[in-house]
Structures are given as structure tokens and as C-alpha cells.
């Protein structure tokens, strides 16, 4: 086992950045309401900027900043006025738009790829706002912390044990051992919330914890594949030790969309 990798300079920087980020995130989640919506809109704008600056060639500051404000505005408007419209009836319409753009993307230049990337960012932020507004803060915290625990468990176990690569052509550092470590971390969070905070006696919560861990890792791999296709290591350098906001939230994006689907179409799976 290699424990030395857990105490490298990069890991220390990563930990410090994580603690500094945790403070505003916790505050906005607990306060909720308009403040949380504005916070998510800001994150949406930043992720949109990261997508646009990566995909749009040649780079254009005017376009990047313009799309930043458009995406942030759309997320704010949704959070303030249209959360109740996020239903199982309207959701397929948005997904249909994503599929159409994804089909067009094969034959059209970077404009379509920018549109697709930003649609995914917007949709994932819609999901996060809907989850926070619709459900108790304890439930929302469980979803977010499950992803954090998955990332942490995967990093610790994967770094110390190593082993067979999970997807060497996409993310050479990820291993099957790391995935199992991530699942274990997610299960521990579910167990703690099951005992103390979540008002449920449904043991399927633990099954969902395993699925969330897998889904969040899939989201991480998809973002890695996206970055690899553009030959970049990080979506930006805004967060020391992590890269960009998109790099930090890729698992949350995947998990948030997945949980939103489950709750819209089969809410008894969790509560």
C-alpha cells in the first residue's frame, strides 16, 4: 500500500481548498431560499464559462461572458418563478431538446457543442434547485455528502491500494478498488443519516447510496472523457488542487439529475 501519496503537497492544497469551499456551500444550503438560488446561478454561470472557453474555438471573451450571464439568468428565473413547473410531465420536453442537440452535434461545429454543454449545466442546476426547494435540507445534504464521500473514499482507497484500472483510456488514475472505496464511503453517509437525520425506515436508502456512488463516478468519467477529447487536464484553474468548478461538481451533476428522475417518477424508492 502507498500511503505517501495521501500526504503530498497537491493533496494538502486540495484539502485546504475543500475546507474553504465548504464554508459558503454549507451556509447557502442551510439558508436556502433566494440566497441558495443565487448561489447556484453563480455556479451555473462559472461552469458555463468553463464549458464555453473549452469548446468554442477560437476563444472569444465577449461570447464567454455573454453566455455566463445568460445561463446564470436562466437558472435564477427558474429558481424564483418556475420551480413548480419541474414535473414528470415537463421533464421529457427538456430531455428531448438535449437529444435533438446531441444528434445535431455530430455534423455541426462548436456552436452545437457549446449549446449542448450549457444545456446540461442549466438542467443540472434546475435539478439541484428543485431538490433543495422541494425536500428537507437533511435529504438534500445526504445527496451532496454521498457524492463527497464517494470522491473521498475513491481517492483514499484508489491511491493507497491501486490495482486494476477502471477506465484506463479515459481516466488512468481511477481503479476498481477506488470505486469500491467510494461505494463504502457513500454507504457510511447513508448509515449516519439513516440513524440520525432522515425520517425514513426504508432500507432501500442503502441501495440508492450504492447507485449514487456509481452514478457520481460515471459523471466523473464522462467529464474526464470530455476533457480528454479537448486535450485539457482541468476545465479551469479557479480552485487550487481541484481545477475548475465543473471538475469539482461533475459527480454532483450526475447524481443530482439521477435523484431528480427517481423522485419525479418513483419517489417511494427513497422516502
Amino acid at each position: 500500500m502507498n500511503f505517501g501519496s495521501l500526504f503530498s503537497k497537491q493533496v494538502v492544497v486540495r484539502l485546504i481548498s475543500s475546507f474553504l469551499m465548504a464554508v459558503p456551500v454549507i451556509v447557502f444550503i442551510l439558508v436556502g431560499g433566494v440566497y441558495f438560488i443565487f448561489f447556484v446561478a453563480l455556479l451555473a454561470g462559472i461552469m458555463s464559462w468553463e464549458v464555453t472557453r473549452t469548446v468554442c474555438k477560437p476563444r472569444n471573451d465577449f461570447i464567454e461572458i455573454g453566455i455566463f450571464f445568460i445561463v446564470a439568468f436562466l437558472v435564477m428565473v427558474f429558481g424564483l418563478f418556475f420551480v413548480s413547473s419541474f414535473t414528470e410531465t415537463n421533464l421529457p420536453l427538456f430531455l428531448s431538446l438535449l437529444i435533438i442537440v446531441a444528434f445535431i452535434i455530430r455534423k455541426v461545429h462548436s456552436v452545437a457543442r457549446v449549446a449542448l454543454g450549457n444545456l446540461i449545466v442549466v438542467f443540472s442546476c434546475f435539478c439541484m434547485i428543485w431538490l433543495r426547494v422541494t425536500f428537507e435540507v437533511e435529504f438534500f445534504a445526504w445527496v451532496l455528502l454521498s457524492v463527497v464521500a464517494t470522491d473521498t473514499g475513491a481517492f483514499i482507497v484508489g491511491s493507497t491500494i491501486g490495482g486494476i484500472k477502471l477506465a484506463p483510456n479515459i481516466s488512468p488514475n481511477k481503479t476498481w478498488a477506488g470505486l469500491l472505496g467510494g461505494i463504502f464511503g457513500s454507504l457510511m453517509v447513508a448509515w449516519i443519516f439513516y440513524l440520525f437525520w432522515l425520517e425514513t425506515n426504508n432500507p432501500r436508502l442503502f441501495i440508492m447510496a450504492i447507485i449514487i456512488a456509481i452514478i457520481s463516478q460515471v459523471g466523473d468519467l464522462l467529464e474526464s472523457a470530455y476533457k480528454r477529447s479537448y486535450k485539457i487536464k482541468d476545465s479551469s484553474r479557479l480552485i487550487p488542487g481541484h481545477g475548475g468548478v465543473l471538475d469539482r461538481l461533475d459527480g454532483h451533476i450526475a447524481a443530482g439529475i439521477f435523484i431528480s428522475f427517481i423522485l419525479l417518477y418513483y419517489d417511494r424508492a427513497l422516502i
Side-chain angles (χ1 to χ4, degrees):
M1 293 187 181
N2 179 22
F3 291 100
S5 59
L6 297 178
F7 303 98
S8 65
K9 180 180 179 181
Q10 182 180 5
V11 172
V12 173
V13 172
R14 188 184 182 97
L15 284 173
I16 294 173
S17 297
S18 296
F19 282 117
L20 292 176
M21 287 188 296
V23 175
V25 170
I26 292 172
V27 170
F28 283 112
I29 289 175
L30 291 177
V31 173
V34 174
Y35 300 101
F36 178 76
I37 292 170
F38 285 145
F39 178 63
V40 174
L42 174 63
L43 294 178
I46 295 173
M47 288 189 288
S48 168
W49 170 76
E50 290 174 341
V51 169
T52 305
R53 70 191 293 271
T54 298
V55 176
C56 189
K57 303 297 181 183
R59 288 188 56 186
N60 186 308
D61 291 338
F62 179 78
I63 293 177
E64 292 171 13
I65 295 173
I67 295 178
F68 169 97
F69 283 108
I70 290 172
V71 167
F73 176 75
L74 288 174
V75 172
M76 278 192 292
V77 169
F78 169 81
L80 294 173
F81 303 108
F82 296 104
V83 176
S84 59
S85 299
F86 195 82
T87 64
E88 63 272 20
T89 303
N90 295 330
L91 188 58
L93 298 177
F94 196 94
L95 290 179
S96 298
L97 179 60
L98 280 179
I99 293 171
I100 291 171
V101 174
F103 178 79
I104 295 175
I105 203 175
R106 301 180 306 167
K107 299 182 179 180
V108 183
H109 55 73
S110 61
V111 173
R113 294 192 290 271
V114 170
L116 178 62
N118 281 287
L119 281 172
I120 294 173
V121 167
V122 169
F123 180 57
S124 65
C125 290
F126 283 3
C127 290
M128 286 299 179
I129 291 175
W130 179 76
L131 287 171
R132 177 62 186 91
V133 171
T134 307
F135 298 93
E136 297 293 332
V137 67
E138 292 85 358
F139 178 83
F140 185 70
W142 166 65
V143 175
L144 296 187
L145 288 176
S146 293
V147 178
V148 173
T150 298
D151 288 343
T152 303
F155 176 75
I156 292 174
V157 176
S159 298
T160 55
I161 295 179
I164 302 173
K165 302 296 183 182
L166 181 61
N169 294 329
I170 298 176
S171 184
N173 294 326
K174 293 191 181 302
T175 64
W176 284 100
L179 175 60
L180 293 176
I183 291 173
F184 177 78
S186 182
L187 283 170
M188 289 301 97
V189 169
W191 179 64
I192 293 172
F193 273 77
Y194 180 80
L195 290 178
F196 300 107
W197 288 301
L198 289 181
E199 296 181 0
T200 177
N201 293 316
N202 194 338
R204 282 178 291 187
L205 182 73
F206 296 97
I207 298 175
M208 295 308 302
I210 295 173
I211 297 175
I212 287 176
I214 295 172
I215 293 294
S216 68
Q217 289 295 286
V218 169
D220 197 327
L221 287 172
L222 288 174
E223 204 243 350
S224 294
Y226 145 75
K227 290 186 295 184
R228 184 170 286 271
S229 69
Y230 288 98
K231 297 180 174 59
I232 59 174
K233 183 178 183 296
D234 300 312
S235 58
S236 72
R237 297 180 180 178
L238 292 177
I239 308 174
H242 293 275
V245 174
L246 194 58
D247 299 316
R248 182 61 271 165
L249 297 182
D250 48 13
H252 292 87
I253 288 173
I257 293 174
F258 170 75
I259 289 294
S260 297
F261 270 78
I262 292 296
L263 291 171
L264 279 171
Y265 292 103
Y266 187 52
D267 59 352
R268 287 178 298 171
L270 292 176
I271 53 178

